[in-house]
Amino acid sequence: MSLLCDLQINLDHEFTFFVNQDLMSEYSGFLKKTIKQSSKKKKNHKNGRIIIQLQDFPGGPEGFNLVSRFCYSNAGGISIDVSNVSILYCASQFLEMTKILCSSNLSLQTEKFLEGMFYWSWNDIVSCLKSCEQVFSHADSYGLVDKLVFGVLAKIAQNSDMSQVFASSSTSSSASASSMSPETAKNRSDSDKRSTSRSFSCKTSNEWWFDDMSSLGPKIIEKLIKNLGAFDENNDSLVLTRFLLHYLKTKVHNKSNNKLEYSGLANTAVQGVIFAAKTAFSCRKIFWVLRVLSGFSISKESRTGLETVLGEMLDQAKLDDLLIPTGGKREKGFYDVDLVVRLLKVFVRNCSSAEEEDESLRIRRMGKLIDEYLREISPDQNLKVSKFLEVAESLPDSARDWFDGLFRAIDIYLESHPNLSSEDRTKLCRCLNYKRLTLETCKQLAKNPKIPPNIAVQALKSQQLSNEALPHSREDKIKLNKTRNSRKYVEEKPILVRLKGFEMSDKLVDGFEDDIRVNLERRHWNKVMDHSEKVCKEKKSELVSRLVRHGHTHTSSNFPRLC
């Protein structure tokens, strides 16, 4: 028995095979040379047996077992199929099992089998490509991956409109696809019955291959994209971009995956989205892209490019688009506020270069959205005052006709953060424009115990000053009347028609002459000023009583003249 097994093969110091050296040398040029060198040096011998160490053998023990069975059965004994041809091909190249040693050697048999790949079914070629993953480094260096990738592309080309699959986004986004999958191509008469089959699980027929290719590893997909010349910044194909997004979506929740392996594909997808953003992707879809791809360590340049595209169309976003979690960094808050601030800066910069009329409409729409956003994130206990202000002050005053919505956000924040110091509460109110608070909101602010007294006094004083600035000329009055007769004004600021003492229908108000309307306004503002004086005196008395209780002896002359 010892004469028959005179060669010991150790794989990665873990697995050992005992074989006959003459038999293995008959088919393997590598083993033949190694045995000859070992015999001369007389090293690595044990009990008359030559010992050879093999590192990183293709397919490991399974691969070497298949090779030894091939040799022991006189170049036969194993069946080559799509599941093992990758391992056998790489093992034959590793061991130099060429036709020089044997006319029907393993490398020749595997090469002949691979030559017929263009006649394989779609499932067979995908299965073979997947089997390359366990021997990828060898398969790539021996050119096997490239062969199989070209085979896959040929199958896609046979059953798709290639002018749309690999065309630039500007072309493919406007064209329609009309093609069949490999399964339906075999029997055209049954195509109508099978149009809802597995191959068409994606949106269009040009995307029938998405699900099957999503089962492959990132290295093989990266190889496919590189062979198409569309990797990273070179990606201008809408279909390839959609495939990458579909592929990465299936991997994002798999914790066993090394996300760094997908960073190249994620960056490529980002470039495709940026290239076709304005024609093929909505604002909501790009937010979805950002959520998915952020988990794959995209480059700083890719993130900046994606955020620039988002910022330019931010006024199209909805509230839930902006509510992006921070991803585990709870000490910075539950939501990614920094992202929203960066997007707002891009939006404001973009609006400043737009036409004035368009800019005004977009920026007011953005102001309403940001007020909603602030009300939503205010209860977050980890949201700092500085972050709240950073969001609120990212937009100019022109973004808000009235600051009532922003005040409601401040009220919610103060309610959710009862332990704020007086200094922080005062600081929080600096983003308010008191002159643009409605009377009702200003009254609420003054009565709110969470608002510092000096802020309440300042708001009431600003309200009084704005009242004194009412127009007096007939032209100004007519202009004011036209503004207040508008539907938008009645809906948003119903001061005249809905205050106590002035309950009247819109129809009745419209029937008044200009002079009667002006008299009503004067009566209203007199009431406002009387109320403001009363509130000012109450606040002043409250301040004096607080200071006396704390031992201060300042006289009333030290206080500013409020009314």
Side-chain angles (χ1 to χ4, degrees):
M1 186 69 179
S2 60
L3 294 176
L4 296 177
C5 301
D6 52 0
L7 177 62
Q8 179 177 330
I9 306 292
N10 292 337
L11 300 183
D12 301 322
H13 301 287
E14 292 185 13
F15 304 96
T16 302
F17 287 84
F18 297 96
V19 293
N20 184 273
Q21 56 178 286
D22 293 333
L23 189 62
M24 298 300 292
S25 299
E26 187 178 342
Y27 296 96
S28 172
F30 173 80
L31 290 178
K32 186 175 183 179
K33 288 185 294 185
T34 306
I35 291 170
K36 188 175 181 181
Q37 292 173 359
S38 298
S39 299
K40 289 181 179 180
K41 295 179 180 180
K42 295 184 179 180
K43 293 181 179 180
N44 297 325
H45 285 224
K46 184 177 181 181
N47 299 326
R49 185 183 297 124
I50 297 176
I51 301 174
I52 296 176
Q53 303 289 343
L54 296 181
Q55 300 293 329
D56 194 25
F57 186 81
E62 178 187 353
F64 193 84
N65 183 52
L66 288 172
V67 170
S68 60
R69 284 171 53 192
F70 174 84
C71 296
Y72 271 83
S73 59
N74 194 22
I78 59 172
S79 176
I80 301 176
D81 55 38
V82 293
S83 64
N84 62 21
V85 67
S86 299
I87 295 176
L88 290 173
Y89 179 84
C90 293
S92 66
Q93 296 297 319
F94 185 94
L95 294 175
E96 300 175 8
M97 302 177 72
T98 63
K99 61 181 180 180
I100 298 175
L101 297 175
C102 176
S103 59
S104 59
N105 216 339
L106 186 58
S107 61
L108 183 63
Q109 292 189 33
T110 53
E111 286 172 1
K112 284 184 177 180
F113 184 85
L114 291 169
E115 286 174 1
M117 74 171 66
F118 294 102
Y119 302 100
W120 297 355
S121 69
W122 167 257
N123 290 334
D124 284 345
I125 199 166
V126 172
S127 176
C128 187
L129 194 54
K130 186 170 181 60
S131 68
C132 282
E133 293 177 6
Q134 56 185 313
V135 290
F136 181 81
S137 59
H138 295 288
D140 189 29
S141 62
Y142 299 143
L144 178 59
V145 175
D146 287 331
K147 289 181 181 179
L148 293 172
V149 164
F150 285 128
V152 164
L153 294 177
K155 284 292 181 183
I156 295 175
Q158 287 174 5
N159 301 280
S160 301
D161 184 355
M162 295 303 288
S163 64
Q164 299 305 315
V165 173
F166 305 123
S168 65
S169 302
S170 58
T171 303
S172 60
S173 61
S174 61
S176 62
S178 57
S179 57
M180 293 182 293
S181 70
E183 288 77 6
T184 57
K186 291 179 180 179
N187 192 346
R188 294 175 181 269
S189 62
D190 294 333
S191 60
D192 292 337
K193 298 179 182 179
R194 303 167 68 179
S195 60
T196 57
S197 65
R198 180 186 57 82
S199 301
F200 289 89
S201 59
C202 295
K203 292 182 180 179
T204 69
S205 56
N206 276 335
E207 301 173 4
W208 58 264
W209 46 280
F210 282 16
D211 286 339
D212 292 329
M213 293 296 288
S214 294
S215 65
L216 301 175
K219 293 180 180 179
I220 292 177
I221 299 300
E222 189 171 307
K223 196 76 176 176
L224 182 143
I225 301 297
K226 285 180 177 178
N227 281 332
L228 291 172
F231 189 71
D232 205 4
E233 296 180 356
N234 297 318
N235 180 24
D236 60 357
S237 169
L238 179 59
V239 174
L240 285 180
T241 300
R242 285 176 173 165
F243 164 67
L244 288 174
L245 294 175
H246 178 85
Y247 176 79
L248 293 169
K249 180 185 68 174
T250 64
K251 310 297 180 183
V252 69
H253 297 300
N254 193 338
K255 295 181 180 181
S256 63
N257 290 329
N258 180 7
K259 296 299 189 292
L260 291 175
E261 292 182 338
Y262 297 86
S263 60
L265 297 176
N267 288 324
T268 303
V270 169
Q271 294 302 322
V273 171
I274 293 172
F275 186 85
K278 295 183 179 180
T279 58
F281 293 93
S282 64
C283 182
R284 172 160 293 222
K285 184 67 174 179
I286 299 177
F287 265 109
W288 176 86
V289 170
L290 182 63
R291 290 171 188 260
V292 171
L293 299 189
S294 293
F296 292 103
S297 303
I298 57 176
S299 66
K300 184 178 180 180
E301 293 76 12
S302 294
R303 177 176 286 277
T304 301
L306 202 57
E307 290 178 2
T308 300
V309 170
L310 268 176
E312 291 174 352
M313 58 172 71
L314 193 60
D315 57 312
Q316 302 173 25
K318 304 297 182 184
L319 176 60
D320 55 337
D321 295 330
L322 302 180
L323 300 175
I324 299 178
T326 54
K329 301 176 182 178
R330 291 292 179 262
E331 67 277 1
K332 293 186 178 181
F334 187 81
Y335 297 110
D336 193 346
V337 178
D338 292 332
L339 170 63
V340 175
V341 171
R342 293 196 300 269
L343 296 179
L344 283 171
K345 289 180 179 178
V346 174
F347 175 78
V348 173
R349 187 166 60 248
N350 184 62
C351 278
S352 63
S353 61
E355 295 182 6
E356 185 174 347
E357 184 176 347
D358 180 57
E359 171 194 346
S360 177
L361 180 63
R362 293 180 63 205
I363 207 162
R364 285 202 300 272
R365 187 160 60 229
M366 196 70 249
K368 184 177 180 181
L369 175 62
I370 290 304
D371 288 350
E372 291 178 9
Y373 175 74
L374 286 170
R375 292 197 294 272
E376 186 69 27
I377 68 173
S378 289
D380 183 2
Q381 293 300 306
N382 291 317
L383 180 65
K384 305 298 182 185
V385 172
S386 58
K387 287 299 177 184
F388 184 100
L389 290 172
E390 198 172 356
V391 176
E393 296 174 345
S394 294
L395 293 174
D397 278 4
S398 59
R400 299 176 176 92
D401 291 333
W402 305 95
F403 278 68
D404 293 21
L406 184 56
F407 171 72
R408 284 194 290 273
I410 291 175
D411 189 36
I412 294 172
Y413 187 90
L414 292 173
E415 189 72 34
S416 305
H417 300 76
N419 297 324
L420 278 182
S421 65
S422 178
E423 181 183 354
D424 281 339
R425 284 183 285 148
T426 302
K427 184 180 178 182
L428 187 66
C429 295
R430 80 180 187 197
C431 58
L432 288 173
N433 186 335
Y434 305 121
K435 294 181 181 179
R436 294 193 185 181
L437 290 174
T438 61
L439 175 62
E440 188 64 31
T441 300
C442 196
K443 288 164 62 177
Q444 292 176 9
L445 184 150
K447 295 177 181 178
N448 194 327
K450 299 183 289 294
I451 299 293
N454 60 320
I455 296 297
V457 171
Q458 187 179 352
L460 291 170
K461 188 175 182 181
S462 298
Q463 188 76 224
Q464 180 183 353
L465 292 174
S466 64
N467 294 340
E468 293 174 355
L470 280 174
H472 297 290
S473 68
R474 186 169 181 79
E475 288 184 1
D476 290 339
K477 291 174 183 177
I478 293 173
K479 186 177 180 181
L480 178 64
N481 290 338
K482 288 181 178 179
T483 301
R484 292 182 173 178
N485 276 335
S486 66
R487 166 173 279 185
K488 180 178 180 181
Y489 184 85
V490 171
E491 289 177 352
E492 295 185 359
K493 298 283 160 277
I495 294 177
L496 290 177
V497 299
R498 297 183 186 178
L499 283 173
K500 289 185 177 179
F502 296 94
E503 290 88 351
M504 54 185 71
S505 67
D506 295 346
K507 186 175 181 181
L508 181 60
V509 171
D510 291 338
F512 284 130
E513 295 294 330
D514 290 343
D515 291 335
I516 297 177
R517 188 183 299 279
V518 171
N519 288 333
L520 288 174
E521 289 181 12
R522 286 177 177 171
R523 289 174 58 191
H524 161 65
W525 288 114
N526 285 336
K527 287 187 177 183
V528 171
M529 293 176 67
D530 292 340
H531 178 77
S532 297
E533 289 178 0
K534 182 180 178 181
V535 173
C536 286
K537 289 177 181 179
E538 290 176 357
K539 288 294 178 181
K540 186 174 179 180
S541 300
E542 182 180 353
L543 273 172
V544 172
S545 60
R546 286 184 182 180
L547 291 172
V548 169
R549 283 200 304 271
H550 288 81
H552 294 279
T553 59
H554 291 69
T555 64
S556 60
S557 61
N558 295 107
F559 297 101
R561 187 174 180 274
L562 302 177
C563 304

